[in-house]
Amino acid sequence: MIGMDTRFVGIAELAEAPSVAVVVDVMRAFTVAAWAFAQGAEKIILAESLDDALALKARHRDRVALKDGPPAPGFDMVNSPGLLRSVDLGGRTVVQKTTAGTVGALAVKEASLVLCASFVVAEATARLLRTRRSDSVTFVVTGDDGQADEDLACAQYIARRAAEAGTDAAGFLRRAAESRAAAELAEGVRQGVHPDDVALCLELDRFPFAMVAALEDSLMVLRPCAVPSLADATSI
Ligand SMILES: O=C(O)[C@H](CS(=O)(=O)O)OP(=O)(O)O
Ligand SMILES: [Mg+2]
């Protein structure tokens, strides 16, 4: 991946659709999304608004709606990995609407490849970028108008990891642990929180899949994507 051109931008700085976009939300949308797949969800529809989320849920009986912040009527779950990890989502479709992560993914829906990422899927995301040999990758730092250090640290880590397999994650994880979002989650400033949320958001490579979002019948749909490791590939 030597020579990959990387940009790190906030949602508001996105002028035109990038070719390849990695949308990063560590705390908590794309940690939650990864947990939803681990708990058996088939796909996640990224909703434009809370009203759209409820309307999308109402169209099919198998759908569950998830929002950030406090619980609300009509929504089945909140944006918390700690709360989600005990829910069986086998075969279900999740409809997710959050303040930052889902907005970031919808902002790049015209890109040719959209990956949604966080630390729990960092290595698989980096591996997918390596496999695609993209010349240019735009990392969307979703939190705090592009300033959220947990998202920027994760984006920078994935970019480095895509270029150099030996990159050490420790410093990047430390920045995320010391971010404002982590403090707000720990101190109860944010709502819909489980005490393990920050720790779960900092679990490097907990899951072996990347997450790819693409338009399906005009809806932005996120799905897990298996990315064989080099060891798997060479053992075949
Ligand atoms: O759920 C989250 O952590 C945030 C929303 S808030 O900052 O807690 O209100 O949403 P996300 O889109 O996952 O950053
Ligand atoms: Mg966030």
Side-chain angles (χ1 to χ4, degrees):
M1 288 287 327
I2 292 166
M4 181 175 84
D5 176 40
T6 52
R7 289 198 312 145
F8 301 88
V9 299
I11 297 170
E13 294 166 77
L14 283 161
E16 57 195 40
S19 169
V20 177
V22 180
V23 186
V24 180
D25 193 339
V26 172
M27 297 183 192
R28 293 166 288 173
F30 298 143
T31 300
V32 164
W35 270 97
F37 292 129
Q39 295 304 108
E42 183 194 335
K43 62 180 188 279
I44 299 175
I45 302 173
L46 305 173
E48 301 268 359
S49 68
L50 294 172
D51 285 346
D52 280 357
L54 292 179
L56 286 162
K57 175 190 161 178
R59 277 192 224 160
H60 291 275
R61 262 192 317 203
D62 79 317
R63 290 182 179 168
V64 292
L66 182 160
K67 71 179 277 294
D68 60 1
F75 285 87
D76 308 284
M77 298 180 297
V78 291
N79 196 39
S80 159
L83 293 169
L84 199 82
R85 69 186 156 164
S86 53
V87 179
D88 178 7
L89 290 171
R92 308 292 292 275
T93 294
V94 174
V95 182
Q96 185 182 27
K97 166 73 181 100
T98 73
T99 304
T102 60
V103 175
L106 288 162
V108 291
K109 61 183 168 191
E110 305 299 338
S112 56
L113 175 65
V114 179
L115 306 180
C116 293
S118 60
F119 281 112
V120 296
V121 294
E123 169 57 20
T125 305
R127 216 158 52 226
L128 187 50
L129 290 173
R130 280 203 294 273
T131 312
R132 296 286 179 123
R133 297 177 191 279
S134 314
D135 297 339
S136 163
V137 179
T138 297
F139 287 85
V140 184
V141 177
T142 60
D144 288 341
D145 297 324
Q147 304 301 309
D149 206 35
E150 75 281 10
D151 295 336
L152 182 58
C154 183
Q156 290 170 337
Y157 174 68
I158 292 170
R160 285 273 293 277
R161 184 92 198 166
E164 289 172 44
T167 304
D168 183 6
F172 300 94
L173 287 166
R174 194 174 317 117
R175 281 168 53 196
E178 292 170 356
S179 66
R180 188 167 84 178
E184 288 181 357
L185 287 165
E187 290 161 10
V189 174
R190 298 191 185 196
Q191 298 183 66
V193 178
H194 183 280
D196 293 345
D197 277 359
V198 172
L200 289 169
C201 291
L202 299 176
E203 280 190 321
L204 186 68
D205 302 332
R206 167 92 194 213
F207 302 115
F209 51 81
M211 300 189 293
V212 178
L215 285 170
E216 296 182 20
D217 297 328
S218 77
L219 295 174
M220 197 62 167
V221 176
L222 186 63
R223 295 179 185 269
C225 173
V227 192
S229 69
L230 198 56
D232 294 338
T234 51
S235 66
I236 293 170

